[in-house]
């Protein structure tokens, strides 16, 4: 099987296992596990649709890194895409897809599931949590997801960045599993967690920006009386969440990308931040911002719409509700 197919099959299997809890009489366990599964499936579907834009973002973020010049000629999104298409072919736009899918199967599965678990533990009398508690819940779940998802994230960034490197420096991972195996054997187990610190910080900010702002926006839209719990509301709330998340997390995403793709250039997150700021200026932290926003926008919208539709489908088929965002 293609690595992406293997990942999809494994997640499908996890759904069957989860459904099995309900059939065996553990009704409470079923609803606790479903947010994890639905979150992971939604993230994987959204990533498959937006992967080429994410690859453009990575290439643009790395542009000018080695030159260390603020005056390095900036590459636009279209010129970057055309260059990749010309030099690497159409398949070049999908480099790292298997790693991206595994990342969503770990990172998004964990953060969506943990958010519901933590939020439910704090709720009393089914009253909505105040915004600050939603932010704290999302930050905790984002940190957990970031740690779990870092190994596949490292492989994904390296696979996406490979085409930018000289031929003799390319890693040429066959797929995500080959990448994880080679990193462990050639560089050591803990290298798989390279960039974990900025990844956790990004996970905190990203999840707060996405899940907490989506939850709050949706709640306010429904309370206004002008909106119903439908796709239109889900789209509006997720669009707001995407804009918040993109603006807040772009600088740390640039740092994370550079650390994960580098070969011993940076000693850590602060060193990378300082060198980037000193060598290229503050604007470097928003390199690739347009493709980042264009990727994060549809990805966030699709993720939340997929989650909501999976929730509705499950409820219509079983007559039972799932904890929703």
């Amino acid at each position: 099987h293609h690595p992406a197919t293997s990942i999809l099959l494994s997640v499908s299997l996890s759904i069957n296992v989860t459904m099995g809890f309900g059939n065996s009489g553990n009704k409470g366990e079923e609803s606790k596990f479903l947010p994890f599964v639905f979150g992971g499936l939604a993230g994987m579907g959204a990533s498959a649709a937006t992967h080429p834009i994410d690859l453009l973002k990575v290439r643009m973020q790395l542009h000018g890194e080695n030159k260390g010049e603020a005056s390095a000629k900036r590459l636009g999104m279209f010129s970057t895409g055309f260059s990749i298409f010309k030099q690497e072919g159409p398949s070049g736009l999908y480099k790292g897809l298997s790693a991206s899918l595994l990342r969503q199967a770990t990172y998004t599965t964990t953060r969506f599931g943990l958010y519901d678990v933590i939020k439910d533990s704090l709720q009393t009398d089914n009253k909505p949590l105040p915004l600050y508690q939603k932010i704290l819940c999302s930050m905790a779940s984002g940190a957990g997801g970031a740690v779990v998802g870092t190994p596949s994230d490292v492989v994904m960034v390296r696979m996406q960045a490979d085409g930018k490197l000289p031929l003799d420096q390319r890693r040429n991972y066959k797929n995500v599993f080959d990448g994880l195996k080679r990193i462990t054997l050639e560089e050591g187990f803990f290298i798989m967690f390279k960039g974990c610190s900025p990844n956790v910080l990004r996970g905190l900010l990203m999840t707060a920006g996405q899940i907490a702002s989506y939850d709050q926006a949706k709640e306010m839209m429904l309370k206004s009386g002008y909106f119903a719990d439908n796709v239109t509301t889900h789209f509006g709330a997720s669009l707001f969440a995407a804009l918040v998340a993109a603006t807040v997390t772009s600088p740390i995403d640039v740092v994370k990308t550079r650390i994960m793709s580098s070969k011993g250039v940076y000693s850590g997150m602060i060193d990378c931040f300082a060198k980037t700021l000193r060598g290229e200026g503050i604007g470097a932290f928003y390199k690739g911002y347009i493709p980042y926003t264009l990727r994060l926008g549809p990805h966030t919208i699709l993720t939340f719409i997929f989650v909501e539709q999976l929730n509705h489908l499950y409820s219509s088929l079983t007559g039972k509700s799932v904890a929703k965002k």
Side-chain angles (χ1 to χ4, degrees):
H1 291 298
H2 188 277
T5 306
S6 301
I7 298 169
L8 289 169
L9 288 173
S10 66
V11 176
S12 299
L13 178 61
S14 71
I15 294 178
N16 294 329
V17 173
T18 301
M19 296 301 183
F21 280 110
N23 295 334
S24 62
N26 296 322
K27 303 296 182 184
E29 294 297 319
E30 183 176 338
S31 62
K32 290 179 182 178
F33 277 90
L34 284 174
F36 287 87
V37 177
F38 288 171
L41 277 175
M44 291 171 72
S47 279
T50 60
H51 186 78
I53 304 176
D54 191 50
L55 185 137
L56 294 181
K57 176 212 72 172
V58 168
R59 295 288 179 89
M60 291 177 71
Q61 287 178 337
L62 294 174
H63 178 66
E65 176 187 22
N66 295 326
K67 295 177 182 178
E69 298 175 0
S71 59
K73 184 179 178 181
R74 298 180 70 90
L75 288 178
M77 184 176 68
F78 292 108
S79 59
T80 302
F82 179 76
S83 175
I84 294 171
F85 187 85
K86 182 179 178 181
Q87 296 176 19
E88 304 171 46
S91 62
L93 294 169
Y94 284 90
K95 281 188 175 179
L97 178 60
S98 62
S100 178
L101 292 175
L102 181 59
R103 177 177 178 272
Q104 293 299 321
T106 51
Y107 168 64
T108 302
T109 296
T110 303
R111 68 190 185 115
F112 267 71
L114 281 181
Y115 179 76
D116 278 321
V117 169
I118 298 171
K119 189 176 78 168
D120 289 346
S121 69
L122 296 176
Q123 272 184 321
T124 55
D125 302 325
N126 290 322
K127 292 181 180 178
L129 293 179
L131 178 59
Y132 82 91
Q133 288 190 355
K134 291 176 183 176
I135 292 174
L136 292 175
C137 290
S138 59
M139 291 177 76
S141 60
V147 173
V148 173
T150 293
S152 53
D153 205 358
V154 170
V155 178
M156 181 185 74
V157 168
R158 289 184 173 191
M159 291 178 74
Q160 289 177 329
D162 231 20
K164 180 181 175 292
L165 298 173
L167 288 174
D168 61 333
Q169 294 181 27
R170 294 182 185 179
R171 298 177 174 98
N172 295 318
Y173 298 147
K174 297 175 183 176
N175 52 58
V176 61
F177 303 110
D178 178 56
L180 292 172
K181 177 184 175 182
R182 282 183 52 192
I183 289 173
T184 303
L185 295 176
E186 297 171 10
E187 303 175 59
F189 175 80
F190 290 106
I191 295 299
M192 288 195 295
F193 291 90
K194 187 178 184 181
C196 189
S197 295
N199 212 23
V200 168
L201 181 56
R202 179 184 178 276
L204 292 172
L205 298 174
M206 177 66 75
T207 309
Q210 283 184 322
I211 299 182
S213 60
Y214 175 84
D215 212 352
Q216 187 69 19
K218 179 184 170 185
E219 180 186 316
M220 293 175 68
M221 290 173 75
L222 294 176
K223 280 184 177 179
S224 71
Y226 294 105
F227 299 91
D229 191 0
N230 54 29
V231 174
T232 301
T233 301
H234 304 157
F235 178 87
S238 57
L239 178 60
F240 172 75
L243 292 174
V244 172
T247 303
V248 170
T249 61
S250 180
I252 194 65
D253 193 67
V254 171
V255 171
K256 181 211 74 165
T257 297
R258 293 190 169 194
I259 290 176
M260 288 182 173
S261 66
S262 69
K263 296 183 178 181
V265 177
Y266 309 109
S267 61
M269 180 172 63
I270 296 176
D271 181 52
C272 180
F273 184 89
K275 285 181 178 177
T276 302
L277 180 62
R278 186 167 56 249
E280 302 169 63
I282 193 71
F285 296 107
Y286 283 89
K287 281 187 174 181
Y289 179 77
I290 293 177
Y292 183 53
T293 305
L294 289 177
R295 182 261 177 188
L296 191 60
H299 188 277
T300 302
I301 291 167
L302 289 172
T303 297
F304 282 114
I305 288 178
F306 287 164
V307 166
E308 297 281 9
Q309 293 307 305
L310 286 168
N311 286 335
H312 287 311
L313 178 62
Y314 176 77
S315 296
S316 65
L317 292 175
T318 65
K320 292 177 284 187
S321 62
V322 182
K324 295 190 291 182
K325 298 288 158 291

